[in-house]
Amino acid sequence: MTSIEHLTIEAEDTAAAQRFYAEAFGLDQQIRVRAAEAPTSGFRGFTVSLVVSQPSIVQGLFKTAVAAGAKELKPPKKSLWGFGAVVQAPDGTVWQLVSSSKKDTGPDVRKIDEVVLLLGVSDMAASKKFYVDHGLTVAKSFGGKYTEFDGASSAVKLSLYPRKGLGKVAGVPTEGSGSHRLAIGAGLGDFTDPDGFAWESAESAESTASAESAS
């Protein structure tokens, strides 16, 4: 099984983006930031989900994210599948804050159980085959609606979702063009998937992010 070690988000203001992720979510291992190199507009075709155990943690993350400068896309509320909210970081990345539980069962320990990258794809069958051919193992698959890869030992889990459906879930228009402003750091080498998402070797991505942080 291949694991994703971190995500690199490209931002126009790297210092501000780093402050936001530290203050809003406390993410310093799974998320890297570097300077944006290409223009982009509208929906970038992906979201990142923070999966937690109960609604109070969703509400706490939502409050700290908005206080740190995030835009509210969907306020915290119950749904058929649990409890969730959606925010957009100042750099433009859309974050889903989710719990499968509809009620609190203990204190708010502010613990993030999983970080899940959802890629919006144009052809589910083609994208699923592409990733299987690159060494990933399918854990769940629901035809053209959803694919989840095995991420038991991965810092970031990967799932595929139809682009239009993902935009609807996130509460944003699905129109957009240009760079995704995202690079996925793993041990697979450098390549680009059918929807233009860039994968980089974890080592090279780490070196780039470290060099920019020191400058």
Side-chain angles (χ1 to χ4, degrees):
M1 184 191 69
T2 300
S3 64
I4 299 174
E5 296 186 24
H6 56 256
L7 305 177
T8 299
I9 293 173
E10 295 186 350
E12 294 181 2
D13 187 333
T14 57
Q18 288 168 340
R19 284 196 302 272
F20 172 80
Y21 290 117
E23 294 173 7
F25 304 138
L27 296 174
D28 56 4
Q29 297 298 318
Q30 301 97 327
I31 302 299
R32 306 284 188 269
V33 177
R34 71 184 179 199
E37 298 181 353
T40 190
S41 65
F43 183 45
R44 296 180 186 171
F46 74 93
T47 69
V48 187
S49 291
L50 302 182
V51 182
V52 300
S53 62
Q54 60 187 32
S56 63
I57 304 177
V58 171
Q59 293 173 324
L61 290 170
F62 177 82
K63 290 177 181 178
T64 56
V66 172
K71 176 183 178 182
E72 175 187 319
L73 295 179
K74 289 187 177 182
K77 65 177 182 179
K78 290 182 181 179
S79 68
L80 291 175
W81 49 262
F83 192 90
V86 185
V87 298
Q88 186 171 32
D91 63 73
T93 303
V94 175
W95 291 80
Q96 299 188 59
L97 316 173
V98 298
S99 172
S100 60
S101 175
K102 297 182 181 181
K103 61 173 61 177
D104 293 328
T105 56
D108 178 1
V109 296
R110 192 59 65 88
K111 179 178 180 294
I112 296 172
D113 298 322
E114 294 179 352
V115 179
V116 182
L117 172 63
L118 291 97
L119 302 183
V121 302
S122 58
D123 186 328
M124 182 66 71
S127 292
K128 180 168 68 174
K129 182 179 185 303
F130 177 87
Y131 281 114
V132 168
D133 289 346
H134 277 76
L136 277 69
T137 302
V138 174
K140 297 179 182 178
S141 181
F142 301 96
K145 297 181 178 180
Y146 178 76
T147 296
E148 178 183 313
F149 295 99
D150 184 5
S153 63
S154 184
V156 180
K157 293 188 175 182
L158 176 67
S159 295
L160 308 179
Y161 211 95
R163 181 185 171 96
K164 290 185 178 180
L166 185 59
K168 183 177 181 180
V169 169
V172 297
T174 56
E175 294 78 11
S177 62
S179 172
H180 295 297
R181 291 196 177 173
L182 172 76
I184 304 164
L188 296 175
D190 299 341
F191 62 88
T192 302
D193 83 353
D195 293 280
F197 289 101
W199 287 63
E200 301 176 342
S201 63
E203 295 77 10
S204 62
E206 176 76 27
S207 299
T208 300
S210 299
E212 292 190 353
S213 297
S215 61

